Amino acid sequence: MNDGDLEPALTGSRLAGYDAVVYDLDGTLVELAVDWDAVADAVLDVYAERALIPPTEELWDLLGAADDYGVRDEVEEAIAIHERPGARESTRLPLGDRLTETADGGGPHPPAGVCSLNCEEACRIAVETHGLDDAFVSDAIVGRDTVGSFKPAPESLLAAVDRLGAAPEDALFVGDSRSDAVAAERGGVDFAWVSDLLAE
């Protein structure tokens, strides 16, 4: 797909009328170089080292249960220790390419932020690594650890929208997962699949 094909995704009708656009990070703008199975194993080790029986083997459910087991900080760090280098070694995806061009003067775009299931530090590393700094309002880069809850709960998305100075009903969330879509629905924010934007 060439840049001409991508331009409508960011400057065309799909974004028209929105006061703010929030993007998911991993799978939408960049692809983090992370072995998520290894991350899940590392988190399971956190439970095992404390003689705790994990409630599941699914990574994000383990994180969700971490407060109840008193291991939230340890689980967060076990995940983040993989995410930070994974952000540095990540690959920019087509929509990220187009956003970079827009930020460099390629066309109008509403104020933009990030709402990610990745930790905020990894989000900022990825944004800086791929030259996306000018595409986003810095305060509106929100990770799973920024506001105390994470997708599909809507609070992190709503925080990003609020930091962009917009109301939920006037914002668009762009993502690649069911979790993204559910967060948008719960927050009263319009949603667009990244694949649909790129197909325009």
Side-chain angles (χ1 to χ4, degrees), residues 72-169:
R72 177 63 177 266
D73 290 345
E74 294 86 348
V75 167
E76 280 282 3
E77 181 55 24
I79 300 171
I81 203 168
H82 290 264
E83 289 176 314
R84 291 188 290 263
R88 290 186 188 94
E89 299 165 11
S90 60
T91 302
R92 196 167 67 197
L93 296 175
L95 194 59
D97 291 340
R98 186 59 199 151
L99 245 187
T100 303
E101 294 173 11
T102 301
D104 288 340
H109 189 286
V114 169
C115 173
S116 176
L117 192 53
N118 304 115
C119 68
E120 181 179 331
E121 186 178 3
C123 295
R124 293 187 179 278
I125 290 170
V127 165
E128 180 179 354
T129 296
H130 294 289
L132 289 163
D133 310 66
D134 292 339
F136 299 113
V137 174
S138 179
D139 190 46
I141 297 175
V142 178
R144 68 167 178 274
D145 53 346
T146 305
V147 297
S149 67
F150 52 88
K151 300 179 296 186
E155 286 80 10
S156 57
L157 172 58
L158 293 175
V161 170
D162 182 66
R163 293 175 185 194
L164 291 169
E169 62 269 21

Side-chain angles (χ1 to χ4, degrees), residues 151-154 157-158 168 171-174 178-192:
K151 300 179 296 186
L157 172 58
L158 293 175
L172 177 70
F173 185 34
V174 180
R178 180 63 184 156
S179 175
D180 295 330
V182 170
E185 182 178 6
R186 291 177 177 176
V189 177
D190 284 353
F191 180 74

Side-chain angles (χ1 to χ4, degrees), residues 5-67:
D5 293 326
L6 293 179
E7 184 157 356
L10 297 185
T11 63
S13 61
R14 191 61 186 262
L15 301 187
Y18 288 106
D19 292 340
V21 180
V22 179
Y23 295 89
D24 171 55
L25 182 76
D26 192 23
T28 298
L29 300 176
V30 305
E31 192 73 44
L32 266 60
V34 174
D35 180 343
W36 293 107
D37 289 336
V39 178
D41 288 343
V43 171
L44 287 168
D45 287 344
V46 170
Y47 281 81
E49 288 163 3
R50 290 154 183 79
L52 299 170
I53 299 173
T56 176
E57 293 189 356
E58 203 283 319
L59 175 60
W60 303 115
D61 289 340
L62 288 166
L63 175 61
D67 280 329

